[in-house]
């Protein structure tokens, strides 16, 4: 584990999957982390894994769709670490997987509340601290924003909104670096949910591609995009602000090499 750099990072959806990996990798890069999600047991297990490597982690159980819970997440960072250098809006849901003709409107609203309004509220609450630290917001987006995905309209619309939120916020806040990041197709509970419930509403081609990737062991282990996202949260150059970036772009991999070299020094 690296010496403590003193930086503090808030990661939502850190109870499992990609968010847990981002938090661990950020701690390995020397950051102190606030882990947030609804399930306290998952958060505590991940905090223990970070502490076992000599890192510092605080957990806040809460729902990003609730403003009061968002407030507690941000306050925890400031109370425990005295500052905030990065917010990673990673917590998210895929459901409802359903065609527009049949979809439950309340489920759509819930998707937007978690995937869009949560990141919006957290961004607003974090801005004063991120301006002060010249910090970064990473919004976890998706490749599904780039083409039509039958059955995924709620999810892909929410991620398209996140891309535009990132672009607009970057233009409004010159002191903060704001990125929307595509993490690739990652082996997490979300992919399991898609395999379990997605077939009826998805195009057979899309469903078969994801199932095939799983069966052939081609889904990404969370630590690969997790490391790239942690590096961007802590070290992305200001010139990238406003962009939609894929975790495996060459410039991102250069940044990862740089970060991990520094770690070894
Ligand atoms: N897996 C992929 O292939 C893939 C591809 C592109 C983008 N992404 C994005 O990557 C991010 C992480 O997803 P994942 O694949 O790691 O899925 P996951 O394993 O299902 O994890 C989702 C995380 O979000 C948290 N979460 C869900 N609803 C929440 C809420 N209302 N408030 C607070 N936390 C909440 C969950 O924790 P609790 O249930 O404990 O709250 C969990 O920690 C998501 O934004 C997802 O859209 C994933």
């Amino acid at each position: 584990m690296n010496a403590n750099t003193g930086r503090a990072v808030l990661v939502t959806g850190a109870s499992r999957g990609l968010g847990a990996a981002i938090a661990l990798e950020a701690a390995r890069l020397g950051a102190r982390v606030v882990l947030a999600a609804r399930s306290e047991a998952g958060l505590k297990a991940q905090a223990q894994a970070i502490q076992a490597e000599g890192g510092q982690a605080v957990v806040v159980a809460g729902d990003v769709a609730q403003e009061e819970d968002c407030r507690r997440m941000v306050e925890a960072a400031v109370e425990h670490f005295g500052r905030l250098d990065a917010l990673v809006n990673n917590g998210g849901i895929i459901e409802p997987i359903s065609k527009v003709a049949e979809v439950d409107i309340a489920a759509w609203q819930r998707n937007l509340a978690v995937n869009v309004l949560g990141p919006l509220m957290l961004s607003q609450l974090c801005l004063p601290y991120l301006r002060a630290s010249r910090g970064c917001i990473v919004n976890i987006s998706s490749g599904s924003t780039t083409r039509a995905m039958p059955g995924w309209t709620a999810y892909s619309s929410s991620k398209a909104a996140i891309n535009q939120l990132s672009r607009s916020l970057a233009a409004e806040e010159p002191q903060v670096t704001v990125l929307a990041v595509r993490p690739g197709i990652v082996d997490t509970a979300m992919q399991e949910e898609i395999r379990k419930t997605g077939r009826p509403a998805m195009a057979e081609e899309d469903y078969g591609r994801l199932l095939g990737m799983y069966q052939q062991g081609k889904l990404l282990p969370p630590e690969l995009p997790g490391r790239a996202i942690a590096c961007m949260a802590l070290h992305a150059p200001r010139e990238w602000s406003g962009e939609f970036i894929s975790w495996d772009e060459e410039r991102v991999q250069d940044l990862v090499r740089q970060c991990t070299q520094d770690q070894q020094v």
Side-chain angles (χ1 to χ4, degrees), residues 13-19 36-39 62-65 73 90-93 110 114 140-143 155 159 183-191:
S15 58
R16 61 173 187 263
L18 183 61
R38 290 165 305 172
S39 36
D63 181 342
V64 296
M73 293 169 196
N90 164 84
I93 53 174
R110 175 68 185 165
V114 174
I140 303 302
S141 181
S142 161
Y155 179 76
K159 295 298 184 180
I185 302 178
V186 195
D187 192 6
T188 66
M190 187 174 283
Q191 284 295 328

PDB file of all heavy atoms in Angstrom, residues 13-19 36-39 62-65 73 90-93 110 114 140-143 155 159 183-191, ligand 1:
ATOM      1  N   GLY A  13     -21.993   3.083  -4.734  1.00  0.00           N
ATOM      2  CA  GLY A  13     -22.099   1.722  -5.275  1.00  0.00           C
ATOM      3  C   GLY A  13     -20.846   0.927  -4.963  1.00  0.00           C
ATOM      4  O   GLY A  13     -20.399   0.112  -5.771  1.00  0.00           O
ATOM      5  N   ALA A  14     -20.292   1.159  -3.759  1.00  0.00           N
ATOM      6  CA  ALA A  14     -19.012   0.531  -3.390  1.00  0.00           C
ATOM      7  C   ALA A  14     -19.201  -0.753  -2.600  1.00  0.00           C
ATOM      8  O   ALA A  14     -18.238  -1.312  -2.091  1.00  0.00           O
ATOM      9  CB  ALA A  14     -18.163   1.534  -2.595  1.00  0.00           C
ATOM     10  N   SER A  15     -20.444  -1.258  -2.516  1.00  0.00           N
ATOM     11  CA  SER A  15     -20.677  -2.471  -1.728  1.00  0.00           C
ATOM     12  C   SER A  15     -20.311  -3.734  -2.496  1.00  0.00           C
ATOM     13  O   SER A  15     -20.192  -4.811  -1.913  1.00  0.00           O
ATOM     14  CB  SER A  15     -22.150  -2.537  -1.295  1.00  0.00           C
ATOM     15  OG  SER A  15     -23.009  -2.520  -2.419  1.00  0.00           O
ATOM     16  N   ARG A  16     -20.160  -3.625  -3.799  1.00  0.00           N
ATOM     17  CA  ARG A  16     -19.795  -4.799  -4.615  1.00  0.00           C
ATOM     18  C   ARG A  16     -19.366  -4.320  -6.008  1.00  0.00           C
ATOM     19  O   ARG A  16     -19.405  -3.113  -6.297  1.00  0.00           O
ATOM     20  CB  ARG A  16     -20.967  -5.773  -4.737  1.00  0.00           C
ATOM     21  CG  ARG A  16     -22.183  -5.180  -5.396  1.00  0.00           C
ATOM     22  CD  ARG A  16     -23.283  -6.215  -5.663  1.00  0.00           C
ATOM     23  NE  ARG A  16     -24.341  -5.605  -6.444  1.00  0.00           N
ATOM     24  CZ  ARG A  16     -25.470  -5.102  -5.916  1.00  0.00           C
ATOM     25  NH1 ARG A  16     -25.676  -5.159  -4.620  1.00  0.00           N
ATOM     26  NH2 ARG A  16     -26.389  -4.557  -6.712  1.00  0.00           N
ATOM     27  N   GLY A  17     -18.991  -5.273  -6.863  1.00  0.00           N
ATOM     28  CA  GLY A  17     -18.789  -5.012  -8.280  1.00  0.00           C
ATOM     29  C   GLY A  17     -17.757  -3.945  -8.583  1.00  0.00           C
ATOM     30  O   GLY A  17     -16.722  -3.831  -7.913  1.00  0.00           O
ATOM     31  N   LEU A  18     -18.059  -3.139  -9.583  1.00  0.00           N
ATOM     32  CA  LEU A  18     -17.109  -2.141 -10.057  1.00  0.00           C
ATOM     33  C   LEU A  18     -16.773  -1.107  -8.977  1.00  0.00           C
ATOM     34  O   LEU A  18     -15.605  -0.732  -8.810  1.00  0.00           O
ATOM     35  CB  LEU A  18     -17.717  -1.442 -11.291  1.00  0.00           C
ATOM     36  CG  LEU A  18     -16.849  -0.401 -11.977  1.00  0.00           C
ATOM     37  CD1 LEU A  18     -15.549  -1.004 -12.499  1.00  0.00           C
ATOM     38  CD2 LEU A  18     -17.617   0.256 -13.136  1.00  0.00           C
ATOM     39  N   GLY A  19     -17.778  -0.658  -8.230  1.00  0.00           N
ATOM     40  CA  GLY A  19     -17.535   0.375  -7.213  1.00  0.00           C
ATOM     41  C   GLY A  19     -16.595  -0.106  -6.122  1.00  0.00           C
ATOM     42  O   GLY A  19     -15.722   0.645  -5.666  1.00  0.00           O
ATOM     43  N   ALA A  36     -19.973   4.189  -0.203  1.00  0.00           N
ATOM     44  CA  ALA A  36     -21.411   4.395  -0.012  1.00  0.00           C
ATOM     45  C   ALA A  36     -22.212   3.438  -0.889  1.00  0.00           C
ATOM     46  O   ALA A  36     -21.814   3.127  -2.019  1.00  0.00           O
ATOM     47  CB  ALA A  36     -21.778   5.837  -0.348  1.00  0.00           C
ATOM     48  N   ALA A  37     -23.324   2.957  -0.344  1.00  0.00           N
ATOM     49  CA  ALA A  37     -24.313   2.120  -1.053  1.00  0.00           C
ATOM     50  C   ALA A  37     -25.388   1.819  -0.013  1.00  0.00           C
ATOM     51  O   ALA A  37     -25.297   2.296   1.123  1.00  0.00           O
ATOM     52  CB  ALA A  37     -23.693   0.822  -1.571  1.00  0.00           C
ATOM     53  N   ARG A  38     -26.380   1.018  -0.379  1.00  0.00           N
ATOM     54  CA  ARG A  38     -27.438   0.734   0.603  1.00  0.00           C
ATOM     55  C   ARG A  38     -27.067  -0.402   1.550  1.00  0.00           C
ATOM     56  O   ARG A  38     -27.402  -0.373   2.708  1.00  0.00           O
ATOM     57  CB  ARG A  38     -28.745   0.401  -0.127  1.00  0.00           C
ATOM     58  CG  ARG A  38     -29.365   1.604  -0.830  1.00  0.00           C
ATOM     59  CD  ARG A  38     -30.408   1.174  -1.813  1.00  0.00           C
ATOM     60  NE  ARG A  38     -29.839   0.214  -2.760  1.00  0.00           N
ATOM     61  CZ  ARG A  38     -30.530  -0.461  -3.656  1.00  0.00           C
ATOM     62  NH1 ARG A  38     -31.824  -0.305  -3.733  1.00  0.00           N
ATOM     63  NH2 ARG A  38     -29.928  -1.307  -4.473  1.00  0.00           N
ATOM     64  N   SER A  39     -26.353  -1.422   1.039  1.00  0.00           N
ATOM     65  CA  SER A  39     -26.116  -2.599   1.906  1.00  0.00           C
ATOM     66  C   SER A  39     -24.849  -2.435   2.736  1.00  0.00           C
ATOM     67  O   SER A  39     -23.737  -2.484   2.219  1.00  0.00           O
ATOM     68  CB  SER A  39     -26.065  -3.886   1.082  1.00  0.00           C
ATOM     69  OG  SER A  39     -25.469  -3.645  -0.152  1.00  0.00           O
ATOM     70  N   GLY A  62     -26.588   4.187   2.541  1.00  0.00           N
ATOM     71  CA  GLY A  62     -27.618   5.132   2.120  1.00  0.00           C
ATOM     72  C   GLY A  62     -27.991   4.936   0.668  1.00  0.00           C
ATOM     73  O   GLY A  62     -27.316   4.228  -0.082  1.00  0.00           O
ATOM     74  N   ASP A  63     -29.080   5.588   0.299  1.00  0.00           N
ATOM     75  CA  ASP A  63     -29.652   5.483  -1.048  1.00  0.00           C
ATOM     76  C   ASP A  63     -29.328   6.787  -1.789  1.00  0.00           C
ATOM     77  O   ASP A  63     -29.713   7.869  -1.318  1.00  0.00           O
ATOM     78  CB  ASP A  63     -31.173   5.300  -0.886  1.00  0.00           C
ATOM     79  CG  ASP A  63     -31.915   5.161  -2.197  1.00  0.00           C
ATOM     80  OD1 ASP A  63     -31.366   5.538  -3.251  1.00  0.00           O
ATOM     81  OD2 ASP A  63     -33.064   4.684  -2.162  1.00  0.00           O
ATOM     82  N   VAL A  64     -28.672   6.703  -2.924  1.00  0.00           N
ATOM     83  CA  VAL A  64     -28.296   7.935  -3.641  1.00  0.00           C
ATOM     84  C   VAL A  64     -29.513   8.701  -4.181  1.00  0.00           C
ATOM     85  O   VAL A  64     -29.384   9.855  -4.576  1.00  0.00           O
ATOM     86  CB  VAL A  64     -27.298   7.685  -4.796  1.00  0.00           C
ATOM     87  CG1 VAL A  64     -25.976   7.168  -4.283  1.00  0.00           C
ATOM     88  CG2 VAL A  64     -27.889   6.776  -5.858  1.00  0.00           C
ATOM     89  N   ALA A  65     -30.682   8.046  -4.191  1.00  0.00           N
ATOM     90  CA  ALA A  65     -31.880   8.755  -4.646  1.00  0.00           C
ATOM     91  C   ALA A  65     -32.471   9.633  -3.549  1.00  0.00           C
ATOM     92  O   ALA A  65     -33.423  10.379  -3.798  1.00  0.00           O
ATOM     93  CB  ALA A  65     -32.919   7.746  -5.138  1.00  0.00           C
ATOM     94  N   MET A  73     -23.330  11.205   3.025  1.00  0.00           N
ATOM     95  CA  MET A  73     -22.131  10.650   2.350  1.00  0.00           C
ATOM     96  C   MET A  73     -21.048  11.719   2.234  1.00  0.00           C
ATOM     97  O   MET A  73     -19.880  11.484   2.500  1.00  0.00           O
ATOM     98  CB  MET A  73     -22.512  10.133   0.943  1.00  0.00           C
ATOM     99  CG  MET A  73     -23.423   8.922   0.950  1.00  0.00           C
ATOM    100  SD  MET A  73     -24.079   8.558  -0.717  1.00  0.00           S
ATOM    101  CE  MET A  73     -25.444   7.445  -0.313  1.00  0.00           C
ATOM    102  N   ASN A  90     -20.820   5.998  -9.199  1.00  0.00           N
ATOM    103  CA  ASN A  90     -20.808   4.655  -9.790  1.00  0.00           C
ATOM    104  C   ASN A  90     -22.087   3.871  -9.487  1.00  0.00           C
ATOM    105  O   ASN A  90     -22.502   3.039 -10.295  1.00  0.00           O
ATOM    106  CB  ASN A  90     -19.586   3.898  -9.248  1.00  0.00           C
ATOM    107  CG  ASN A  90     -19.678   2.410  -9.485  1.00  0.00           C
ATOM    108  OD1 ASN A  90     -19.338   1.911 -10.553  1.00  0.00           O
ATOM    109  ND2 ASN A  90     -20.167   1.667  -8.482  1.00  0.00           N
ATOM    110  N   GLY A  91     -22.728   4.132  -8.336  1.00  0.00           N
ATOM    111  CA  GLY A  91     -23.926   3.378  -7.953  1.00  0.00           C
ATOM    112  C   GLY A  91     -24.979   3.496  -9.039  1.00  0.00           C
ATOM    113  O   GLY A  91     -25.249   4.593  -9.534  1.00  0.00           O
ATOM    114  N   GLY A  92     -25.578   2.371  -9.419  1.00  0.00           N
ATOM    115  CA  GLY A  92     -26.578   2.438 -10.480  1.00  0.00           C
ATOM    116  C   GLY A  92     -27.346   1.149 -10.611  1.00  0.00           C
ATOM    117  O   GLY A  92     -26.967   0.112 -10.049  1.00  0.00           O
ATOM    118  N   ILE A  93     -28.447   1.221 -11.349  1.00  0.00           N
ATOM    119  CA  ILE A  93     -29.303   0.044 -11.572  1.00  0.00           C
ATOM    120  C   ILE A  93     -29.625  -0.080 -13.068  1.00  0.00           C
ATOM    121  O   ILE A  93     -29.666   0.925 -13.786  1.00  0.00           O
ATOM    122  CB  ILE A  93     -30.626   0.130 -10.765  1.00  0.00           C
ATOM    123  CG1 ILE A  93     -31.371   1.458 -11.027  1.00  0.00           C
ATOM    124  CG2 ILE A  93     -30.352  -0.035  -9.279  1.00  0.00           C
ATOM    125  CD1 ILE A  93     -32.752   1.547 -10.364  1.00  0.00           C
ATOM    126  N   ARG A 110     -37.763   5.487 -11.055  1.00  0.00           N
ATOM    127  CA  ARG A 110     -36.780   5.019 -10.065  1.00  0.00           C
ATOM    128  C   ARG A 110     -35.389   4.944 -10.719  1.00  0.00           C
ATOM    129  O   ARG A 110     -34.391   5.325 -10.119  1.00  0.00           O
ATOM    130  CB  ARG A 110     -37.203   3.652  -9.527  1.00  0.00           C
ATOM    131  CG  ARG A 110     -36.203   3.000  -8.592  1.00  0.00           C
ATOM    132  CD  ARG A 110     -36.058   3.730  -7.274  1.00  0.00           C
ATOM    133  NE  ARG A 110     -34.998   3.142  -6.451  1.00  0.00           N
ATOM    134  CZ  ARG A 110     -34.464   3.721  -5.390  1.00  0.00           C
ATOM    135  NH1 ARG A 110     -34.858   4.906  -4.987  1.00  0.00           N
ATOM    136  NH2 ARG A 110     -33.507   3.129  -4.715  1.00  0.00           N
ATOM    137  N   VAL A 114     -32.125   7.076  -9.370  1.00  0.00           N
ATOM    138  CA  VAL A 114     -30.856   6.482  -8.910  1.00  0.00           C
ATOM    139  C   VAL A 114     -29.698   6.862  -9.848  1.00  0.00           C
ATOM    140  O   VAL A 114     -28.626   7.272  -9.400  1.00  0.00           O
ATOM    141  CB  VAL A 114     -30.984   4.935  -8.809  1.00  0.00           C
ATOM    142  CG1 VAL A 114     -29.641   4.294  -8.473  1.00  0.00           C
ATOM    143  CG2 VAL A 114     -32.040   4.555  -7.773  1.00  0.00           C
ATOM    144  N   ILE A 140     -20.006   7.228 -13.939  1.00  0.00           N
ATOM    145  CA  ILE A 140     -19.890   5.958 -14.673  1.00  0.00           C
ATOM    146  C   ILE A 140     -21.045   5.855 -15.669  1.00  0.00           C
ATOM    147  O   ILE A 140     -22.220   5.844 -15.298  1.00  0.00           O
ATOM    148  CB  ILE A 140     -19.872   4.742 -13.728  1.00  0.00           C
ATOM    149  CG1 ILE A 140     -18.718   4.877 -12.713  1.00  0.00           C
ATOM    150  CG2 ILE A 140     -19.742   3.455 -14.537  1.00  0.00           C
ATOM    151  CD1 ILE A 140     -17.332   5.010 -13.306  1.00  0.00           C
ATOM    152  N   SER A 141     -20.657   5.802 -16.938  1.00  0.00           N
ATOM    153  CA  SER A 141     -21.625   5.782 -18.031  1.00  0.00           C
ATOM    154  C   SER A 141     -21.667   4.380 -18.643  1.00  0.00           C
ATOM    155  O   SER A 141     -21.388   3.392 -17.951  1.00  0.00           O
ATOM    156  CB  SER A 141     -21.227   6.862 -19.050  1.00  0.00           C
ATOM    157  OG  SER A 141     -22.150   6.884 -20.100  1.00  0.00           O
ATOM    158  N   SER A 142     -21.959   4.315 -19.915  1.00  0.00           N
ATOM    159  CA  SER A 142     -22.121   2.999 -20.533  1.00  0.00           C
ATOM    160  C   SER A 142     -22.011   3.109 -22.057  1.00  0.00           C
ATOM    161  O   SER A 142     -22.413   4.123 -22.647  1.00  0.00           O
ATOM    162  CB  SER A 142     -23.509   2.461 -20.165  1.00  0.00           C
ATOM    163  OG  SER A 142     -23.907   1.435 -21.026  1.00  0.00           O
ATOM    164  N   GLY A 143     -21.519   2.039 -22.664  1.00  0.00           N
ATOM    165  CA  GLY A 143     -21.465   1.954 -24.125  1.00  0.00           C
ATOM    166  C   GLY A 143     -22.862   1.911 -24.731  1.00  0.00           C
ATOM    167  O   GLY A 143     -23.031   2.166 -25.929  1.00  0.00           O
ATOM    168  N   TYR A 155     -32.348   2.557 -18.859  1.00  0.00           N
ATOM    169  CA  TYR A 155     -30.929   2.563 -18.502  1.00  0.00           C
ATOM    170  C   TYR A 155     -30.099   3.403 -19.471  1.00  0.00           C
ATOM    171  O   TYR A 155     -29.330   4.273 -19.058  1.00  0.00           O
ATOM    172  CB  TYR A 155     -30.420   1.122 -18.489  1.00  0.00           C
ATOM    173  CG  TYR A 155     -28.957   0.983 -18.147  1.00  0.00           C
ATOM    174  CD1 TYR A 155     -28.511   1.110 -16.832  1.00  0.00           C
ATOM    175  CD2 TYR A 155     -28.009   0.709 -19.135  1.00  0.00           C
ATOM    176  CE1 TYR A 155     -27.165   0.972 -16.521  1.00  0.00           C
ATOM    177  CE2 TYR A 155     -26.670   0.561 -18.833  1.00  0.00           C
ATOM    178  CZ  TYR A 155     -26.257   0.698 -17.515  1.00  0.00           C
ATOM    179  OH  TYR A 155     -24.920   0.566 -17.208  1.00  0.00           O
ATOM    180  N   LYS A 159     -28.036   6.922 -18.812  1.00  0.00           N
ATOM    181  CA  LYS A 159     -26.585   7.077 -19.021  1.00  0.00           C
ATOM    182  C   LYS A 159     -26.295   8.172 -20.048  1.00  0.00           C
ATOM    183  O   LYS A 159     -25.283   8.873 -19.945  1.00  0.00           O
ATOM    184  CB  LYS A 159     -25.956   5.748 -19.431  1.00  0.00           C
ATOM    185  CG  LYS A 159     -26.038   4.674 -18.347  1.00  0.00           C
ATOM    186  CD  LYS A 159     -25.289   5.070 -17.080  1.00  0.00           C
ATOM    187  CE  LYS A 159     -25.276   3.969 -16.036  1.00  0.00           C
ATOM    188  NZ  LYS A 159     -24.545   4.340 -14.809  1.00  0.00           N
ATOM    189  N   PRO A 183     -17.086   1.855 -18.680  1.00  0.00           N
ATOM    190  CA  PRO A 183     -16.181   0.899 -18.024  1.00  0.00           C
ATOM    191  C   PRO A 183     -15.996  -0.431 -18.749  1.00  0.00           C
ATOM    192  O   PRO A 183     -15.322  -1.320 -18.236  1.00  0.00           O
ATOM    193  CB  PRO A 183     -16.878   0.670 -16.675  1.00  0.00           C
ATOM    194  CG  PRO A 183     -18.328   0.785 -17.000  1.00  0.00           C
ATOM    195  CD  PRO A 183     -18.440   1.812 -18.099  1.00  0.00           C
ATOM    196  N   GLY A 184     -16.598  -0.587 -19.937  1.00  0.00           N
ATOM    197  CA  GLY A 184     -16.546  -1.891 -20.609  1.00  0.00           C
ATOM    198  C   GLY A 184     -17.626  -2.808 -20.064  1.00  0.00           C
ATOM    199  O   GLY A 184     -18.495  -2.382 -19.298  1.00  0.00           O
ATOM    200  N   ILE A 185     -17.556  -4.070 -20.446  1.00  0.00           N
ATOM    201  CA  ILE A 185     -18.583  -5.033 -20.016  1.00  0.00           C
ATOM    202  C   ILE A 185     -17.960  -5.877 -18.891  1.00  0.00           C
ATOM    203  O   ILE A 185     -17.028  -6.643 -19.128  1.00  0.00           O
ATOM    204  CB  ILE A 185     -19.062  -5.872 -21.214  1.00  0.00           C
ATOM    205  CG1 ILE A 185     -19.616  -4.907 -22.281  1.00  0.00           C
ATOM    206  CG2 ILE A 185     -20.127  -6.870 -20.782  1.00  0.00           C
ATOM    207  CD1 ILE A 185     -20.079  -5.554 -23.554  1.00  0.00           C
ATOM    208  N   VAL A 186     -18.482  -5.666 -17.695  1.00  0.00           N
ATOM    209  CA  VAL A 186     -17.777  -6.095 -16.481  1.00  0.00           C
ATOM    210  C   VAL A 186     -18.543  -7.216 -15.785  1.00  0.00           C
ATOM    211  O   VAL A 186     -19.784  -7.205 -15.732  1.00  0.00           O
ATOM    212  CB  VAL A 186     -17.613  -4.886 -15.512  1.00  0.00           C
ATOM    213  CG1 VAL A 186     -16.589  -5.222 -14.438  1.00  0.00           C
ATOM    214  CG2 VAL A 186     -17.211  -3.615 -16.252  1.00  0.00           C
ATOM    215  N   ASP A 187     -17.796  -8.152 -15.237  1.00  0.00           N
ATOM    216  CA  ASP A 187     -18.376  -9.327 -14.584  1.00  0.00           C
ATOM    217  C   ASP A 187     -18.885  -8.957 -13.184  1.00  0.00           C
ATOM    218  O   ASP A 187     -18.160  -9.072 -12.202  1.00  0.00           O
ATOM    219  CB  ASP A 187     -17.297 -10.417 -14.493  1.00  0.00           C
ATOM    220  CG  ASP A 187     -17.889 -11.758 -14.105  1.00  0.00           C
ATOM    221  OD1 ASP A 187     -19.130 -11.868 -14.018  1.00  0.00           O
ATOM    222  OD2 ASP A 187     -17.106 -12.694 -13.890  1.00  0.00           O
ATOM    223  N   THR A 188     -20.131  -8.493 -13.118  1.00  0.00           N
ATOM    224  CA  THR A 188     -20.708  -8.045 -11.846  1.00  0.00           C
ATOM    225  C   THR A 188     -22.149  -8.561 -11.726  1.00  0.00           C
ATOM    226  O   THR A 188     -22.693  -9.148 -12.667  1.00  0.00           O
ATOM    227  CB  THR A 188     -20.774  -6.499 -11.779  1.00  0.00           C
ATOM    228  OG1 THR A 188     -21.707  -6.067 -12.778  1.00  0.00           O
ATOM    229  CG2 THR A 188     -19.427  -5.853 -12.010  1.00  0.00           C
ATOM    230  N   ALA A 189     -22.762  -8.218 -10.582  1.00  0.00           N
ATOM    231  CA  ALA A 189     -24.160  -8.610 -10.350  1.00  0.00           C
ATOM    232  C   ALA A 189     -25.084  -8.008 -11.404  1.00  0.00           C
ATOM    233  O   ALA A 189     -26.140  -8.582 -11.716  1.00  0.00           O
ATOM    234  CB  ALA A 189     -24.584  -8.175  -8.955  1.00  0.00           C
ATOM    235  N   MET A 190     -24.721  -6.849 -11.955  1.00  0.00           N
ATOM    236  CA  MET A 190     -25.580  -6.229 -12.976  1.00  0.00           C
ATOM    237  C   MET A 190     -25.666  -7.114 -14.220  1.00  0.00           C
ATOM    238  O   MET A 190     -26.743  -7.296 -14.804  1.00  0.00           O
ATOM    239  CB  MET A 190     -25.079  -4.828 -13.329  1.00  0.00           C
ATOM    240  CG  MET A 190     -26.017  -4.087 -14.253  1.00  0.00           C
ATOM    241  SD  MET A 190     -25.560  -2.381 -14.570  1.00  0.00           S
ATOM    242  CE  MET A 190     -26.085  -1.576 -13.081  1.00  0.00           C
ATOM    243  N   GLN A 191     -24.532  -7.694 -14.633  1.00  0.00           N
ATOM    244  CA  GLN A 191     -24.545  -8.599 -15.795  1.00  0.00           C
ATOM    245  C   GLN A 191     -25.361  -9.857 -15.476  1.00  0.00           C
ATOM    246  O   GLN A 191     -26.050 -10.393 -16.354  1.00  0.00           O
ATOM    247  CB  GLN A 191     -23.110  -8.972 -16.196  1.00  0.00           C
ATOM    248  CG  GLN A 191     -22.380  -7.859 -16.947  1.00  0.00           C
ATOM    249  CD  GLN A 191     -23.000  -7.548 -18.297  1.00  0.00           C
ATOM    250  OE1 GLN A 191     -23.546  -8.422 -18.973  1.00  0.00           O
ATOM    251  NE2 GLN A 191     -22.934  -6.289 -18.696  1.00  0.00           N
TER     252      GLN A 191
HETATM  253  N1  LIG B   1     -21.293  -4.358 -15.352  1.00  0.00           N
HETATM  254  C1  LIG B   1     -21.230  -3.797 -16.544  1.00  0.00           C
HETATM  255  O1  LIG B   1     -21.009  -4.471 -17.558  1.00  0.00           O
HETATM  256  C2  LIG B   1     -21.408  -2.305 -16.693  1.00  0.00           C
HETATM  257  C3  LIG B   1     -21.252  -1.757 -17.971  1.00  0.00           C
HETATM  258  C4  LIG B   1     -21.402  -0.378 -18.126  1.00  0.00           C
HETATM  259  C5  LIG B   1     -21.682   0.412 -17.035  1.00  0.00           C
HETATM  260  N2  LIG B   1     -21.832  -0.150 -15.793  1.00  0.00           N
HETATM  261  C6  LIG B   1     -22.115   0.742 -14.667  1.00  0.00           C
HETATM  262  O2  LIG B   1     -21.188   0.500 -13.624  1.00  0.00           O
HETATM  263  C7  LIG B   1     -21.756   0.890 -12.376  1.00  0.00           C
HETATM  264  C8  LIG B   1     -21.565  -0.227 -11.365  1.00  0.00           C
HETATM  265  O3  LIG B   1     -22.339  -1.333 -11.753  1.00  0.00           O
HETATM  266  P1  LIG B   1     -21.910  -2.857 -11.480  1.00  0.00           P
HETATM  267  O4  LIG B   1     -21.787  -3.515 -12.785  1.00  0.00           O
HETATM  268  O5  LIG B   1     -20.799  -2.919 -10.496  1.00  0.00           O
HETATM  269  O6  LIG B   1     -23.275  -3.392 -10.842  1.00  0.00           O
HETATM  270  P2  LIG B   1     -23.649  -4.007  -9.422  1.00  0.00           P
HETATM  271  O7  LIG B   1     -22.728  -5.107  -9.068  1.00  0.00           O
HETATM  272  O8  LIG B   1     -25.094  -4.265  -9.483  1.00  0.00           O
HETATM  273  O9  LIG B   1     -23.351  -2.803  -8.415  1.00  0.00           O
HETATM  274  C9  LIG B   1     -24.173  -1.685  -8.343  1.00  0.00           C
HETATM  275  C10 LIG B   1     -23.786  -0.905  -7.120  1.00  0.00           C
HETATM  276  O10 LIG B   1     -24.651   0.219  -7.023  1.00  0.00           O
HETATM  277  C11 LIG B   1     -25.236   0.242  -5.730  1.00  0.00           C
HETATM  278  N3  LIG B   1     -26.556   0.848  -5.782  1.00  0.00           N
HETATM  279  C12 LIG B   1     -27.634   0.458  -6.501  1.00  0.00           C
HETATM  280  N4  LIG B   1     -28.671   1.247  -6.232  1.00  0.00           N
HETATM  281  C13 LIG B   1     -28.247   2.148  -5.322  1.00  0.00           C
HETATM  282  C14 LIG B   1     -28.872   3.227  -4.639  1.00  0.00           C
HETATM  283  N5  LIG B   1     -30.157   3.529  -4.837  1.00  0.00           N
HETATM  284  N6  LIG B   1     -28.146   3.951  -3.757  1.00  0.00           N
HETATM  285  C15 LIG B   1     -26.845   3.641  -3.530  1.00  0.00           C
HETATM  286  N7  LIG B   1     -26.193   2.650  -4.159  1.00  0.00           N
HETATM  287  C16 LIG B   1     -26.894   1.911  -5.031  1.00  0.00           C
HETATM  288  C17 LIG B   1     -25.276  -1.229  -5.306  1.00  0.00           C
HETATM  289  O11 LIG B   1     -25.269  -1.361  -3.908  1.00  0.00           O
HETATM  290  P3  LIG B   1     -26.580  -1.578  -2.988  1.00  0.00           P
HETATM  291  O12 LIG B   1     -27.458  -2.536  -3.708  1.00  0.00           O
HETATM  292  O13 LIG B   1     -25.979  -2.098  -1.728  1.00  0.00           O
HETATM  293  O14 LIG B   1     -27.162  -0.218  -2.815  1.00  0.00           O
HETATM  294  C18 LIG B   1     -23.950  -1.708  -5.843  1.00  0.00           C
HETATM  295  O15 LIG B   1     -22.915  -1.394  -4.941  1.00  0.00           O
HETATM  296  C19 LIG B   1     -23.223   1.224 -12.669  1.00  0.00           C
HETATM  297  O16 LIG B   1     -23.378   2.616 -12.795  1.00  0.00           O
HETATM  298  C20 LIG B   1     -23.457   0.555 -14.011  1.00  0.00           C
HETATM  299  O17 LIG B   1     -24.498   1.179 -14.725  1.00  0.00           O
HETATM  300  C21 LIG B   1     -21.707  -1.489 -15.602  1.00  0.00           C
END
